[in-house]
Amino acid sequence: MNTLLLAADAPKSPVDDAINSWFDPIATFFGGIIFFPITLGPVSFPFVVLWLIGAALIFSVYFGFIQFRGFKVSLEVIRGKHSTKNDPGEITHFQALASALSGTVGLGNIAGVGVAIALGGPGATFWMIIAGLLGMCTKFVECTLGVKYREIDENGVVYGGPFKYLPIAFRKLSKPVASVLTGIFAVSILIFGVVGGGMFQANQTFAQVRTATGGAEGFLGGALASLIFGIIFAVLVGLVILGGIRSIAHVTDKLVPAMGIFYVISCLLVLTINFAQIPQAFGEIFQGAFAPQGIAGGIVGVMVIGFQRSAFSNEAGIGSAAIAHSAVKTRRPVSEGFVALLEPFVDTVIICTMTALTIIVANQPSYTNDLGEGEIGGVALASDAFSTVAGWYPVLLAIAVALFAFSTLITWAYYGERAWAYLFGKSKGAVTVFRVLVCAFVVIGCIASFSKIVEFADAALFLCAFINILGLYMLMPVVKKEMKKYLADRKAGTLMDPDTKDAVPVEEMV
């Protein structure tokens, strides 16, 4: 996820400054509630981080660390071993995973990680990995429920995710409470989908492409460049999102693997060039995790930094990914839970860790001078590390970052569209209005930088975590029964039997 990482050279104007000044007290007040800090000794961190990591640990214990026991099952499912062409849904297991990953893998995996290890030292990488491994179970729970309670209309369009399972989870509290909480969740997803997923990603894309083409002196440095770029970019986005999740999946199932492979290869090039430094880097990571030097708060401080980066990166517990995963073709909801648990593994354990290792082994002056400060932009740290491959290589990094932002944008447009449909109806006219709105904000994002509105959208997104995880707690027995039956049927060889039923009827869940 790409939150709170505005580009240093993002275009600004007096209008930007005026709107940011007006919105500043609103964003500050709301953010102060959502990111309410708690203090452990000398360390202060947002309570939402503890809420997310605590849930990941509870789910991991409750489900017997299924993210490790079920890893082989996950690989079987994503290869289509237990699927048929007639399974209900819109997209394949692989496409669902690619679509969800496109919403999380992005600038945050580069810039956010750079800042994390600059602030917390190499040891932050260790705790980032631990948090990512725990978060795999949270994704397993929420995405299983997203499929379990989905609806498929007469046109084959799927409506699933938190908008379907939260009303059932909160039904014990009363129908009005369930409606209010689910409504707040939908509004929050909608806000971030339009602003954080639309305007902000467009802003980042233009800033990165502008930098890669010569900055203010390049052909995108002119006064009208941002407007023209924004219009072209909005048209490209519109062409993808008009087709719904099927169109998005057809793009992401090619774009995400290509981007991921390119980025990992790039990291491996840096690691190969600095091969002699790899053992020392691993030593610094483990030593820094348990005996950090010069980091405020010691072990707890570096642990919090790693946990925070992981929680903000893979979105486990937010509920957003369950929207994409709910469109999968399957008769067995928990099968997609097994696929979804791979998401934090790819996002955090692989990509974030590769970024951290690349920065550490390159050991560029920008990193060593910034260690413990976190004042230099995370993209700059990664860019300097990649420059050890070739002086021109950071240009490719900038292009990769732009593609990451584009994939994030189209996926979050779909998440926002599902929230819009929940709030305003599923009619073609209502959905079209939202898609036009997204494209308009793409153009605005390229010509303006309303940082305070983006901060407000970030807070709205993490408000979802409080609501979503509470619902997951209420329904986790349902997921456990689904899981046990699925594994038993797999062992008995009856997963493909046409008369296989889901584990628990809806009326038994409350």
Side-chain angles (χ1 to χ4, degrees):
M1 181 169 43
N2 314 323
T3 57
L4 295 175
L5 295 166
L6 289 170
D9 64 345
K12 294 180 176 62
S13 70
V15 175
D16 296 21
D17 293 335
I19 292 179
N20 284 329
S21 297
W22 179 83
F23 214 77
D24 180 50
I26 300 174
T28 301
F29 174 76
F30 187 45
I33 296 174
I34 303 304
F35 299 115
F36 176 78
I38 60 176
T39 302
L40 293 176
V43 182
S44 181
F45 57 94
F47 174 71
V48 68
V49 174
L50 181 62
W51 181 251
L52 289 166
I53 298 300
L57 180 59
I58 290 171
F59 292 139
S60 295
V61 172
Y62 182 78
F63 289 96
F65 292 91
I66 189 62
Q67 63 266 52
F68 307 124
R69 295 190 296 115
F71 203 87
K72 181 181 178 181
V73 179
S74 300
L75 297 179
E76 290 177 356
V77 175
I78 202 169
R79 294 200 313 266
K81 182 176 180 180
H82 306 300
S83 302
T84 69
K85 293 182 179 180
N86 296 324
D87 288 341
E90 296 187 82
I91 56 179
T92 66
H93 287 290
F94 179 77
Q95 289 176 326
L97 178 64
S99 297
L101 275 172
S102 70
T104 59
V105 175
L107 187 59
N109 299 83
I110 303 172
V113 173
V115 172
I117 63 172
L119 285 170
T125 306
F126 176 84
W127 296 112
M128 183 175 63
I129 294 171
I130 296 299
L133 292 173
L134 293 176
M136 292 168 68
C137 196
T138 306
K139 281 288 176 81
F140 171 80
V141 177
E142 61 188 357
C143 293
T144 296
L145 292 172
V147 180
K148 175 70 179 176
Y149 298 107
R150 68 182 180 178
E151 295 178 0
I152 303 177
D153 69 14
E154 64 277 4
N155 298 315
V157 177
V158 174
Y159 297 90
F163 311 119
K164 295 301 180 182
Y165 65 72
L166 288 180
I168 293 175
F170 296 135
R171 196 159 64 184
K172 285 183 178 180
L173 304 178
S174 78
K175 189 174 180 179
V177 171
S179 297
V180 169
L181 289 177
T182 307
I184 293 174
F185 180 93
V187 170
S188 299
I189 288 288
L190 178 60
I191 291 173
F192 191 84
V194 173
V195 178
M199 186 177 76
F200 173 72
Q201 298 302 328
N203 178 276
Q204 292 297 289
T205 302
F206 176 70
Q208 293 299 326
V209 174
R210 182 172 179 263
T211 299
T213 55
E217 304 302 321
F219 73 92
L220 289 179
L224 292 177
S226 58
L227 176 61
I228 295 172
F229 183 92
I231 293 173
I232 295 173
F233 197 55
V235 170
L236 293 176
V237 170
L239 290 175
V240 177
I241 66 175
L242 283 175
I245 188 61
R246 299 182 192 185
S247 176
I248 293 171
H250 283 304
V251 173
T252 57
D253 72 356
K254 299 176 182 62
L255 185 60
V256 171
M259 291 189 308
I261 291 171
F262 167 76
Y263 186 72
V264 169
I265 290 175
S266 299
C267 292
L268 289 175
L269 285 174
V270 177
L271 294 176
T272 301
I273 292 172
N274 300 278
F275 183 78
Q277 304 300 321
I278 293 178
Q280 180 181 344
F282 277 109
E284 291 178 5
I285 288 172
F286 284 104
Q287 181 180 358
F290 299 100
Q293 300 294 320
I295 304 300
I299 294 177
V300 176
V302 72
M303 184 187 301
V304 166
I305 291 172
F307 280 0
Q308 180 168 309
R309 180 63 257 148
S310 176
F312 286 12
S313 174
N314 58 51
E315 298 179 24
I318 299 294
S320 53
I323 303 172
H325 285 284
S326 67
V328 72
K329 290 182 177 181
T330 185
R331 294 181 298 114
R332 305 294 294 269
V334 78
S335 67
E336 192 59 20
F338 281 106
V339 171
L341 65 78
L342 295 173
E343 197 179 323
F345 184 80
V346 174
D347 175 275
T348 304
V349 179
I350 295 180
I351 296 182
C352 286
T353 302
M354 293 296 287
T355 300
L357 277 174
T358 297
I359 293 172
I360 294 169
V361 300
N363 201 32
Q364 292 289 82
S366 58
Y367 165 59
T368 54
N369 295 338
D370 199 36
L371 195 60
E373 302 294 334
E375 295 180 353
I376 299 176
V379 171
L381 297 180
S383 182
D384 286 349
F386 283 116
S387 69
T388 61
V389 176
W392 48 264
Y393 212 85
V395 175
L396 295 182
L397 174 64
I399 295 173
V401 168
L403 291 175
F404 278 141
F406 179 77
S407 68
T408 301
L409 196 161
I410 60 178
T411 296
W412 268 99
Y414 175 70
Y415 294 166
E417 181 182 307
R418 296 299 89 182
W420 181 277
Y422 175 82
L423 295 168
F424 302 109
K426 306 172 185 177
S427 69
K428 185 176 181 179
V431 171
T432 300
V433 169
F434 174 79
R435 290 170 177 171
V436 171
L437 183 66
V438 169
C439 291
F441 268 82
V442 166
V443 177
I444 293 171
C446 289
I447 63 178
S449 178
F450 303 142
S451 58
K452 292 302 176 181
I453 297 180
V454 174
E455 289 181 22
F456 179 83
D458 278 339
L461 178 66
F462 282 94
L463 171 60
C464 295
F466 291 104
I467 298 173
N468 183 61
I469 288 177
L470 184 59
L472 299 185
Y473 283 141
M474 292 181 173
L475 291 177
M476 62 183 185
V478 175
V479 179
K480 193 166 191 176
K481 290 180 181 180
E482 289 267 355
M483 179 190 75
K484 287 183 175 180
K485 189 173 193 311
Y486 185 89
L487 293 177
D489 288 344
R490 174 178 176 270
K491 186 176 181 180
T494 58
L495 274 180
M496 303 298 290
D497 289 359
D499 60 343
T500 301
K501 303 295 183 181
D502 288 341
V504 187
V506 172
E507 57 269 18
E508 293 181 18
M509 311 215 168
V510 294

